[in-house]
Structures are given as C-alpha cells and as structure tokens.
Amino acid sequence: MLSAFQARPIVDLKQRDKSKIESILAYGDRLLVGLNTGSLRVYRVNESTEELDIQNGALASEARPSSQPKSSPVDLMREQDKFSKYKIEQLAIVKEANILVSLSNSYVSIHDLQTYELQETLSKTKGASTFAVTSNIVKDPSTGIPSIVSRLAVAVKRRLLLWSWHDMELASETPELSLVTGIKSLTWATGTQLIAGLSSSYVIVDVETTAVTDVVGPGSIGGAPGHDGGRFGGVGVASMGYMGMGGMIPKPLATKLGEGEYFLAKDINTLFIDINGNSLGRRQIPWSVAPEAIGYSYPYLLALQATKGTLEVRNPETLSLLQTISLPSAIQLHVPQPNVSLAHAGKGFLVSGDRCVWRMGALDYDSQIDTLVDRGRLDEAISLIGMLEDALLKDKEGRLREIKMMKAQNLFDQRKYRESLELFTDVSAPPERVVRLFPRIIAGESSSIGERGNSTQIDSGSHEPGEDKESNTGKLPALSEDISSSSKPDTILDQKTPGDAASIRQSIKTASTEETDASIAKGKTADPSENHLEGQDLKTATAELRPFLVSARTKLQRYFNSDGSLKDPSSAATGKSNEAQPEIRSLLMRHSSDSDPSREQQLRDTAKLVDTTLFRAYMFASPSLAGPLFRIANFCDPDVVNEKLLETGRYNDLIDFFFGKGLHRQALELLRRFGQAEDENEMAPQLHGPRRTIAYLQNLPAEMIDLILHFADWPLRKDPDLGMEIFLADTENAETLPRSAVLDFLQGIDRKLAVKYLEHIIHELNDKTPEFHQTLVSVYIEGLKSDDFEDDKEQTLWKKKVLDFLRTSREYQSYKALGQLTRDDPKLYEARAIVLSNMGHHRQALDIYVFKLGDPAKAEEYCNQIHLTEITAPASPVQERRHSITDNKNAAPSIYHTLLSLYLSPPPPYNPQWGPALDILAKHGSRLPASSTLDLIPEVLPIKDLESYFQGRIRSANMIVNEGRIVANIRKSVVFDEEARLRLGDGVPGGNGGRNRRVVIGETRVCGVCHKRFGGSAIKVLPK
C-alpha cells in the first residue's frame, strides 16, 4: 500500500504517570496536552533531521548516520497543574485575541495564552458539550479595510452560543440560537457558516442571518420523513450494536475537504456535500465500523478507527484505501485548520491515545506518486496528481501525462482499445509510442510486435466488395515496376531513399522503445505474446487508431506551411507560441531544445509516420477513405503508398497521391498508359481517353510548362476540342501559362488550334501584346490566301473574322500586314482597303472600293465612318460659332469630296460614274465646299440632275440661320429674367429681395470683408 504518512511518537507518558491524555492542541512549535487530572502540559516540538528525511521520502535509518545521537522530539516547557479542577476535554486558541479556550466540567473557560491563567469562565456555557473556533480576514463593506474576525461557537444541549472578536476586541453581543435537537458536534465550514451535527441529522447554520438549512442524506445522516437510504435500509449496524449493548450512539462527524466541499460521517453512513448542503453525488465509503474521528490533511481523507486501533488514509475522490497505520489505543485526531493555506501539508497532523501522541510526517509527494505507479495503481496516481498544486510536484503536467499514457497502454493490453486510444488522444501522446503497439501491417518498421506469418492479413478487409487483387495486377503486368522505379526522382522534396527512411524509422523505434519500456515496467502490462493483434481485434484497434492519428495530424499541420515546409520559428514567436512549444515537445519522442537543428527533421519524420500509418489503417479497414487523404497536403511515404495502391489496383487514388506529392511525371505517364490503351481497364474505366489527363494538366502550375506541353500532345491529337481546354479553361493556371511557348507548341500541331488560342487570349483575356496581334493577322491572311476550307460558308466566316480583326485591332503593324496583301488577289481587296485606311491612305482605300470592288455602298459607308471619326474627335476647349460651309474657303476637302472626285474625275482607264456621284451630292452635298464641288461637276451635266444637291444646300443654310435666331432669342429671355430678379427679387419669403432689400446698419455692424466698423462712409451690399 501507499506510505503517505509515517507515525512518530513525540509524547509518551511514563508508566509511573497515572494521568491520561484527554485533549491536544498544536500551534506553531507548541504542543498543549490536556490531562484527565486537569493539568496542562506545554511542549516545544523540535524539527529533527529524521522528520525532514521522512518528508523527503527517505527512511530515517538510511538518511542519518548511526553515530549521530537522536534528538528529543519534544521538550516539556511547562506544566500548569491547576489549569482546571476537572479533565480538560477540548482546547483551542484565538491567536489574535491571545487567549486559550478550554472545555472542562461542561463549562467553556478563557485563559491567557502566555501565562495560561484563567481569565473568565463563561457562565452561559453551563452544560456545554463541544465548541469550535475559527478566524478569518473580513473586509469592511463600507470602507473595504480588512480586519481579523474570530468566532467561538459553543453547543449547550439544543442551544448554540456565539462569541466574536474583531481585531482583538470582544463583541458585546452574544447571539444565541436554538436547534431542533441536541448538538453533538460543531465544525466551521466558512467564517460565517457552521455545520452542526445533531442527534438525528445535520444542519448548516448561518451565524449572520440565523438561517438553518437541513442536510438530507442517507441512513443516519438524516433526511426527509420516511427516508431510509442507508446501505442496510435503516439504522446502521454499528448503531444497532451500540444500542443493543446499551452503549452510546456514534457521534456525528464532519470535516472540510477542498474548496467548497465537506464530508459528513455518522455511524457507517457518509455524505459529501457543498456549502449549501446539497449532495455531491459521490458513493459512500464502505466502512464496517463507525470511525472515532475524521479529518482532512491535504490531500487525503483521514479516519481514525478506535476499535481497530488504526488510522485509514483515503483518496477523497476515489474513496480508495491507500494506507492503514497501526496506532494502538488512538482515540483523538488533531489536524490544523484546512483554511490555513497549505502550511500543514508538509508538517503532518497529530493523533493521540490515552498515554501517547503521534506526529504524522508526510512523505514527499513525488515519492508517493512513484510508489503508486510502481504498484500499478495508476488511477490513484492520476487522481492524486490532479488534487495537488503545481508547486508541490516536480513537473506536474509531465508526470500526469506520462502516467496517463501508461494507463492507456495498460488499457490497450487489456483490449480496451477505444478507452486506450481516447486517453492517448487526450494527453497528446507521441505518435511513435502509440503506433509501435500495432503489428507491421499497420505500423510498418515502427512496430514492436512480431508477425505470425501472414495470419494478420486473413479477413483483414483491405479490399472492398468486387475487388480482385489478382485480376487487378494482371491487367498491367509491367506497370508496378515502371511506376515504382520512376517514383524516386531527384526533384522530390524531403524524400529519402528506402535505406534512409528505414534508418530513420529504426532510430525512432529504438529511442521510443527505450523510453516506453522503462515507463511500462512500472505498471502492469500484459505479455506481448498473449496480446498479439490479429483478426477482429486488429480491425477494432485500427478503427480506434484512426481518430488518434487524425488528431495528431491536425496538431502537426500547425507547424508546416501549405507547401510542406516548416514554418519559421521567429514568425511563431507571437500569439500562442508559449502554448505551441509544449505541444511540439509532446508530439516528439525525443525531446530537444528549440535551437536543436534536428527538431525540424524530427517533426518531418513524425509527420511522415503519422500520415503513412493513417494510410495503412485506411487501406486495411476502409480503402475508400484513403483517397481524400491524398487530396490534401500529406507526408505519406511514396514507396509504401505506391506499393499498396498498385497491389490493390486503386489507380485513381495513386494518381491523386502523385499529384499531392509533386510526382507529376509519374502520374502523367500512368495516365497516358491508361488513356492510350485500346481496351478500357475494368478497375479504372475513368482513366481511359484523354479527359483525365486534360483535367490533371489543368491543375499544374505555369512553372511546369515544359511538362504540360510534353503530355498535352497526345490529348490534342486525339481530341483537339477537348484538348484545348488545357489552355482555354477559365482557370488561373491556364491564364498564367507562358503564351509564347503555348503558341509555338500549337502552331507545330495545327494552325487552327493556334488561331483558336490567339483569339482566346486577345478577345477574352484582352492581351495587347503586338506580337500576338501580328501573328494572328499573319495567320488570318495566310488562311485567307489559301483555299483550305471545307465550303464557302467556312470561307465567308473566316473572311469576316479577318476583316473585323483588321478593322478593330490597333496593336499590329499595318505596313507588315500590307506587305502580305498582294494587289491583284481579289480575295484580299477589302482587307487591303482596311489596312490602307488604318495607315491614313483614304484615297487609295476608296480607290479599291470604287474601282476594284465596284461597290458604291461600301465606299459610302467607309466615308461615313471616317466622317464620324473626325467629328467625334476631341474638340477645342473654345467653342466656335457654327457657320456656313461656303464661308470657309481654306478648309481641307472632306472624305466625301475625295469620293466625289473619284466618281467624277476617275483615273484612266476608268469612266465617270454619274449615278453614284449624284447620290453622294444628294445625301452629303451640304458637307461639301460649294466652289470646289461645282468645279468638279462637268458642264454637260443638266441642272435638273442637280436639283437634290441645291435643295440640300439651301436647307442646310436656312437651318444655320434659324438656329442662330433661336439661340439669340433664348439669350434675351435669360437676360430679362436675371434683370427682373435683380430689380424685383424672386418673390420667395426670406429669399432675394432685389433692390428692395433693406439692410440695417448699427454701431456694432462691421464689414464682412475687412472687418472694419461702418461709419459715415459709403456702403456696398453684396447679394445673397
């Protein structure tokens, strides 16, 4: 059992001394012993080296040399023979008031603490059976000044008498309360609340408000009428025994435990309550005999069994019996007040009998925990660590975590896999320590369990329904070797050869084995040969392992960037870094400092072990869950994954894994092999054809353009429209590809694909690169020259695209395009006209429309576009008055004048075209200068044919005159309105008053501009 305390007799009455010990009191280094003769003996307690050794967990015989003389534990300082005429039943002190309180002959008396002389016998306490004293620091509600308040509660049959001292001054009032039955025991719960043990029940008394609260409990504790919740349905066994023999009923006992918790015991019934008297719901202590006294010495519950002559030490949380100390004839237990901090934690408490006083020395808490662990009582050790404060243990959190991991390992050995793995998860156990508990099929090289042949693979469920391993591998006999050999390129980040990986795993395994074996040796573990995981046990354990690995994986991901690199420690120096550093150490088996260069490699190795083990667990129980693991950043071992997935024929998952690990060439080789196969593979039908390869290439970054172009060749040749989605898809990767490289690649395959790509980047992505525009113009013109069209409709559409692009684009070089457009090719006439127009050669462009194309409508449309372009050009900031065309004789001839001159004065060998010329004069004559236009008209042309021209000219002149009149009249109206508003005002109340506005000039009125006071000078009023 545990050795929490060690008894050491400090007072032992000699045989010739016929007196008996009735009461004891310890304070400071003083021990007061009250005898049945009425004498009071005062001892000084000496701190011996033996006692210090006991507190440090060492035996006295081992800690002190045998030659060193033993010092006396106590020295008798004084004996007060006439302290009382009768036996001293109880002692207590009120230190602040410097008084000693005693109970003798059913009276409570007050003595001087220094001289022990009687000061007063409280006459009201006649018939007193017990009393209780407490001292507390209380703040004044009005001033907030703290003061020490001490209270004395005395039980006189049913009455409760109260005295109080405030900073050494005794209060004049003595409150008195009456309870329902006689009071047998008193225990202060707080500075103002008192637990009173009555004959039939317990009550909680508030001494300030005089409120009394009944405590409802089982059996003899007390409760509601008709309540018989005792273990034996009524009165306890001890009570029946005592009453049957005519003895006394056991005294109701109470003690304070931790903060806000209290323990009640009467007969063999027990109850844990809070400050309000409510039950805490804990079970009863299985006592067969009622205890004589109870107490609480942090953090243990004490019970003195006088009939057995033993002291029981229990855990107040688990109620387990941790230690039994033999103390013959012990009848009294004295523990310092539990509200005096933890001063008593290392100094122990006192137990007294009729003729002896023992001092209980507390052993070192670390030694106590080691003892519990050595004896396999891990739950008790965990509970004890949880109750102790951090300052009382060396590395409390580390010890608690280690013991919980030992408990989890014991649970695992007992085949309680869920409880074990949940506990491993709660304490953030190092993944290596947990993984090594599994066989090689799950843990790989990290396993500490030997395999029994291939028995673990029987009924493993590693294949989903419908999967046939032999049929899968038979489809592609050489595929496994090809992929396995190509999965180790030099470009793989942070990937080691199988030999390096094995050595890393072996080093981790060795370190974890040494640490774990040393810790497990302290607890109770099963024989590994009897705990071999296989069959259904392995399935169950693996299912519970997965949540642990997912939790560990989530914690590890906090220390890695999305690309798999380790985060900069300096950047993590803010925020929650103080919490993150212990968590890093908890994930690693071998602890290292933050500056240790191997820390990064340890983290990588741990992440690799976690992800690879999680992959094996998925493949063993639920292969379908392995796919999502590859679609996120992972550290799985490529060799293990490649082997497993090829073995089971899960090619889609293998491709996802290759993509996640950056093994793109291997993935694309696999896709090409499946895509170009003549027959569709039954296990991977979705890999047949170019679609899966195209989707893969679309997700590659622009930096891998060479790889993209290399593997885009066969999809483009097999299905050009679908293959172009690699470059035309609405994705960031497609838009950021090097366009020159893509264009050169497409031109080498098919001119139409190059045109499609150029149209995409120019029209949809709005690329203004002159090189691309010039290339598209060249391709367009070359296509227009050739007759490589399936029908006239395709040729017409092609020509339309060429003309539209030549007309709208301003990025290509016109002179280069003009060099490609021959003069005598009819298919290129209109394109040549557009290029000449862009160069500003309008007469040559009109020459093509009029004479080579012979299309007056297009010639007129061309003139209209040029005219609109000229009039919509940015105008001068100074607007000039519109005037008649005939007024400006120096204006440059318009585009219509150029067209008219071609119609009427064509170059040889062409003849004048009167019809189109007259049409131009009729529609646009007002835009032509009259003098130069009439000079172009031949004399032989009848005046009648020019009627529409003259009508247009006259109408245009009249329009200008009328417009001028209208503008002049509008301006007159505006001037009239402004003058009327100035003279008469706007007629709005409070608005502009015009010249009728009145302004009052006073002595204090100043100018709004110069701020001078107005005098006899002239005044000018500004309008509002």
Side-chain angles (χ1 to χ4, degrees):
M1 300 181 70
L2 175 67
S3 296
F5 300 97
Q6 187 168 355
R8 177 170 173 259
I10 57 175
V11 175
D12 195 358
L13 300 183
K14 298 180 180 180
Q15 291 184 355
R16 65 176 179 269
D17 190 349
K18 303 302 180 183
S19 58
K20 294 183 180 180
I21 299 174
E22 293 290 339
S23 60
I24 57 175
L25 173 65
Y27 67 95
D29 62 346
R30 292 293 186 268
L31 171 62
L32 307 183
V33 179
L35 305 178
N36 62 340
T37 61
S39 298
L40 178 69
R41 293 181 182 177
V42 181
Y43 294 91
R44 180 181 65 192
V45 182
N46 299 320
E47 290 289 344
S48 64
T49 56
E50 178 182 353
E51 199 169 45
L52 294 175
D53 293 335
I54 292 175
Q55 294 177 11
N56 295 328
L59 296 177
S61 60
E62 299 176 358
R64 180 174 41 82
S66 58
S67 61
Q68 182 178 351
K70 293 184 178 180
S71 61
S72 176
V74 294
D75 295 328
L76 180 62
M77 303 296 293
R78 180 176 182 178
E79 183 171 0
Q80 191 79 5
D81 292 333
K82 297 181 180 180
F83 186 81
S84 176
K85 296 180 180 180
Y86 303 93
K87 64 179 181 180
I88 306 172
E89 301 176 15
Q90 190 176 353
L91 293 170
I93 65 168
V94 181
K95 187 175 182 180
E96 292 72 29
N98 197 32
I99 60 174
L100 173 65
V101 183
S102 66
L103 174 63
S104 179
N105 193 27
S106 300
Y107 279 93
V108 175
S109 302
I110 296 177
H111 306 260
D112 185 88
L113 187 58
Q114 302 297 328
T115 64
Y116 306 107
E117 297 293 334
L118 178 65
Q119 292 182 351
E120 179 184 3
T121 298
L122 303 178
S123 58
K124 290 185 178 182
T125 62
K126 181 180 180 180
S129 58
T130 186
F131 68 85
V133 175
T134 185
S135 296
N136 298 275
I137 298 177
V138 180
K139 287 187 178 181
D140 186 276
S142 58
T143 62
I145 299 175
S147 62
I148 299 177
V149 178
S150 301
R151 288 187 171 90
L152 169 64
V154 182
V156 182
K157 298 180 181 179
R158 294 173 51 202
R159 295 181 301 143
L160 180 64
L161 306 179
L162 298 168
W163 283 266
S164 61
W165 287 263
H166 294 265
D167 290 334
M168 302 175 57
E169 295 183 0
L170 178 64
S172 58
E173 298 181 357
T174 306
E176 181 178 332
L177 298 174
S178 295
L179 303 181
V180 292
T181 59
I183 303 173
K184 302 300 181 182
S185 66
L186 292 175
T187 304
W188 284 101
T190 64
T192 59
Q193 289 180 298
L194 193 68
I195 299 177
L198 308 182
S199 300
S200 59
S201 63
Y202 287 86
V203 294
I204 298 178
V205 181
D206 191 317
V207 298
E208 290 186 339
T209 63
T210 68
V212 179
T213 304
D214 293 326
V215 177
V216 179
S220 56
I221 296 293
H227 182 79
D228 54 350
R231 289 180 295 167
F232 301 101
V235 181
V237 174
S239 298
M240 291 189 291
Y242 291 137
M243 290 186 291
M245 295 184 295
M248 295 178 57
I249 297 176
K251 179 182 176 182
L253 306 174
T255 185
K256 182 178 180 180
L257 302 178
E259 187 66 27
E261 296 184 3
Y262 306 90
F263 176 66
L264 309 180
K266 186 177 182 182
D267 192 2
I268 57 173
N269 296 114
T270 61
L271 180 66
F272 293 87
I273 62 172
D274 59 14
I275 191 59
N276 299 318
N278 301 320
S279 174
L280 297 179
R282 299 181 188 173
R283 61 185 178 88
Q284 297 189 54
I285 296 178
W287 280 327
S288 59
V289 180
E292 181 68 21
I294 61 174
Y296 178 73
S297 180
Y298 180 86
Y300 298 110
L301 177 63
L302 309 173
L304 182 62
Q305 299 283 357
T307 58
K308 297 180 180 181
T310 59
L311 176 67
E312 293 183 355
V313 180
R314 293 181 180 270
N315 185 327
E317 289 185 351
T318 64
L319 307 184
S320 300
L321 180 61
L322 301 178
Q323 185 180 9
T324 301
I325 305 173
S326 177
L327 300 172
S329 71
I331 58 175
Q332 189 175 169
L333 180 65
H334 175 70
V335 183
Q337 295 186 23
N339 57 348
V340 186
S341 182
L342 297 179
H344 64 286
K347 297 181 179 180
F349 53 94
L350 300 176
V351 180
S352 69
D354 292 339
R355 303 185 60 79
C356 184
V357 178
W358 292 272
R359 186 173 187 182
M360 311 304 295
L363 296 179
D364 178 62
Y365 289 118
D366 289 294
S367 300
Q368 297 181 32
I369 294 172
D370 290 339
T371 302
L372 290 172
V373 173
D374 291 339
R375 297 178 181 178
R377 306 192 67 176
L378 301 181
D379 287 328
E380 296 298 334
I382 292 172
S383 176
L384 178 58
I385 293 176
M387 292 187 294
L388 293 173
E389 295 184 359
D390 295 352
L392 301 178
L393 290 173
K394 299 176 182 177
D395 189 16
K396 175 182 176 180
E397 292 184 0
R399 297 212 64 182
L400 180 62
R401 177 172 176 266
E402 178 62 27
I403 295 174
K404 284 186 176 181
M405 287 192 289
M406 294 169 59
K407 177 184 176 182
Q409 188 157 347
N410 285 346
L411 291 172
F412 191 90
D413 294 337
Q414 299 168 17
R415 290 182 170 82
K416 297 179 180 180
Y417 303 117
R418 171 166 296 184
E419 295 86 345
S420 173
L421 271 301
E422 286 179 353
L423 188 55
F424 274 129
T425 303
D426 291 340
V427 300
S428 298
E432 293 91 339
R433 183 167 183 168
V434 180
V435 170
R436 68 187 302 272
L437 300 175
F438 288 80
R440 295 175 63 88
I441 191 173
I442 300 298
E445 296 294 333
S446 300
S447 174
S448 62
I449 302 176
E451 298 282 358
R452 295 182 182 176
N454 296 326
S455 60
T456 54
Q457 300 183 12
I458 299 176
D459 297 332
S460 63
S462 60
H463 304 286
E464 293 181 339
E467 291 188 353
D468 185 359
K469 185 188 302 184
E470 295 181 0
S471 62
N472 296 345
T473 56
K475 290 293 182 180
L476 295 171
L479 184 60
S480 176
E481 297 178 0
D482 294 343
I483 300 300
S484 178
S485 61
S486 61
S487 62
K488 304 172 184 176
D490 296 336
T491 58
I492 301 177
L493 295 177
D494 304 321
Q495 181 180 349
K496 297 184 179 296
T497 62
D500 295 336
S503 63
I504 292 173
R505 287 192 291 267
Q506 184 64 29
S507 62
I508 294 176
K509 175 181 176 182
T510 303
S512 62
T513 301
E514 294 173 357
E515 181 178 344
T516 307
D517 290 346
S519 61
I520 292 176
K522 300 180 180 180
K524 182 181 179 181
T525 58
D527 187 358
S529 62
E530 299 177 357
N531 193 39
H532 190 76
L533 279 176
E534 59 183 357
Q536 187 60 39
D537 281 345
L538 182 56
K539 287 184 180 179
T540 305
T542 303
E544 300 301 334
L545 175 66
R546 292 188 330 223
F548 169 80
L549 294 174
V550 171
S551 175
R553 188 179 191 281
T554 302
K555 295 172 183 176
L556 285 167
Q557 289 299 321
R558 301 175 186 173
Y559 310 109
F560 292 96
N561 296 311
S562 57
D563 59 353
S565 59
L566 193 67
K567 291 184 178 179
D568 186 7
S570 60
S571 63
T574 58
K576 301 182 178 179
S577 60
N578 293 334
E579 301 176 4
Q581 291 303 324
E583 185 172 305
I584 292 179
R585 292 192 288 270
S586 69
L587 293 171
L588 304 177
M589 284 293 292
R590 293 174 294 176
H591 295 169
S592 58
S593 63
D594 298 340
S595 59
D596 192 344
S598 64
R599 169 70 65 84
E600 179 178 354
Q601 187 59 42
Q602 290 184 47
L603 278 174
R604 292 189 180 280
D605 293 340
T606 303
K608 184 176 183 179
L609 175 65
V610 169
D611 286 354
T612 304
T613 306
L614 182 60
F615 162 73
R616 287 193 180 103
Y618 282 147
M619 292 301 296
F620 178 78
S622 302
S624 59
L625 297 178
L629 177 64
F630 303 144
R631 299 184 185 101
I632 57 178
N634 64 84
F635 291 88
C636 292
D637 189 343
D639 295 333
V640 175
V641 175
N642 188 24
E643 178 184 357
K644 280 285 184 182
L645 294 181
L646 287 176
E647 179 183 350
T648 56
R650 304 189 67 84
Y651 302 111
N652 276 300
D653 292 340
L654 181 58
I655 291 172
D656 291 337
F657 173 73
F658 281 154
F659 181 83
K661 299 299 289 184
L663 305 176
H664 302 299
R665 181 171 295 275
Q666 289 80 352
L668 291 170
E669 290 285 356
L670 182 62
L671 286 172
R672 180 167 62 181
R673 184 164 302 187
F674 276 101
Q676 293 181 338
E678 296 181 0
D679 298 330
E680 186 178 286
N681 188 277
E682 295 180 0
M683 298 308 304
Q686 60 271 38
L687 300 184
H688 186 70
R691 185 175 298 276
R692 188 70 172 84
T693 301
I694 292 171
Y696 192 99
L697 293 173
Q698 286 177 334
N699 291 311
L700 295 182
E703 294 77 11
M704 309 190 72
I705 182 62
D706 295 335
L707 188 67
I708 294 174
L709 298 181
H710 177 74
F711 286 96
D713 184 87
W714 75 268
L716 284 171
R717 297 185 186 278
K718 191 172 185 64
D719 191 341
D721 293 335
L722 185 61
M724 283 301 294
E725 289 298 318
I726 301 172
F727 312 107
L728 306 183
D730 188 14
T731 61
E732 183 178 358
N733 288 342
E735 294 179 4
T736 55
L737 291 175
R739 294 171 182 175
S740 299
V742 174
L743 181 60
D744 295 340
F745 170 72
L746 294 176
Q747 285 180 333
I749 297 178
D750 190 350
R751 183 194 65 185
K752 294 182 179 179
L753 298 180
V755 171
K756 192 173 184 179
Y757 180 72
L758 286 171
E759 291 174 347
H760 171 75
I761 62 175
I762 292 175
H763 300 316
E764 297 186 20
L765 303 183
N766 197 27
D767 194 319
K768 299 295 185 181
T769 305
E771 180 183 355
F772 296 147
H773 286 251
Q774 191 66 46
T775 303
L776 183 57
V777 168
S778 300
V779 175
Y780 273 158
I781 294 176
E782 293 299 327
L784 196 60
K785 290 180 179 180
S786 66
D787 294 329
D788 188 13
F789 301 104
E790 297 180 356
D791 50 24
D792 294 341
K793 182 178 180 181
E794 182 181 357
Q795 185 177 11
T796 302
L797 292 176
W798 183 273
K799 182 177 181 180
K800 184 177 183 304
K801 288 196 300 183
V802 174
L803 299 180
D804 291 341
F805 185 73
L806 290 174
R807 188 177 291 112
T808 56
S809 177
R810 294 293 181 268
E811 306 301 330
Y812 65 92
Q813 296 180 354
S814 301
Y815 72 93
K816 290 185 177 180
L818 187 63
Q820 290 183 277
L821 299 171
T822 57
R823 296 174 177 269
D824 301 330
D825 192 345
K827 295 181 293 186
L828 305 179
Y829 284 160
E830 191 168 359
R832 185 177 178 83
I834 294 174
V835 173
L836 290 171
S837 174
N838 292 337
M839 298 174 69
H841 301 163
H842 301 301
R843 186 175 185 86
Q844 298 179 20
L846 287 174
D847 184 88
I848 294 175
Y849 284 118
V850 173
F851 301 114
K852 294 186 177 181
L853 292 178
D855 193 341
K858 288 186 177 182
E860 182 182 356
E861 182 181 358
Y862 175 80
C863 293
N864 293 338
Q865 293 176 356
I866 299 301
H867 177 72
L868 291 176
T869 302
E870 292 175 352
I871 64 174
T872 55
S876 173
V878 180
Q879 296 184 358
E880 297 181 355
R881 183 177 65 86
R882 185 175 178 179
H883 53 79
S884 175
I885 297 178
T886 57
D887 295 339
N888 190 357
K889 296 182 180 180
N890 298 324
S894 67
I895 188 67
Y896 296 103
H897 186 274
T898 304
L899 178 60
L900 183 62
S901 64
L902 289 176
Y903 283 144
L904 296 179
S905 302
Y910 301 105
N911 298 323
Q913 301 181 24
W914 306 109
L918 293 175
D919 191 36
I920 289 297
L921 289 172
K923 294 179 180 180
H924 309 285
S926 59
R927 299 189 178 101
L928 299 173
S931 58
S932 59
T933 301
L934 292 176
D935 292 340
L936 292 175
I937 298 174
E939 298 178 357
V940 296
L941 187 65
I943 295 299
K944 181 179 180 181
D945 294 341
L946 298 175
E947 179 181 1
S948 58
Y949 166 70
F950 290 120
Q951 287 179 352
R953 292 288 302 176
I954 295 172
R955 188 181 298 112
S956 176
N958 291 337
M959 181 180 67
I960 294 173
V961 173
N962 293 335
E963 181 180 350
R965 292 174 180 175
I966 293 172
V967 171
N969 290 330
I970 291 175
R971 288 178 177 174
K972 289 181 180 179
S973 177
V974 171
V975 171
F976 181 80
D977 291 341
E978 292 296 327
E979 187 176 357
R981 186 178 296 106
L982 179 62
R983 292 176 180 273
L984 304 177
D986 54 12
V988 179
N992 183 13
R995 292 188 176 182
N996 293 327
R997 178 184 175 192
R998 294 178 176 82
V999 180
V1000 179
I1001 303 299
E1003 295 180 356
T1004 60
R1005 190 72 181 266
V1006 296
C1007 177
V1009 178
C1010 66
H1011 306 289
K1012 291 183 179 180
R1013 183 180 298 176
F1014 290 116
S1017 60
I1019 299 172
K1020 183 176 181 180
V1021 179
L1022 301 176
K1024 290 184 179 179

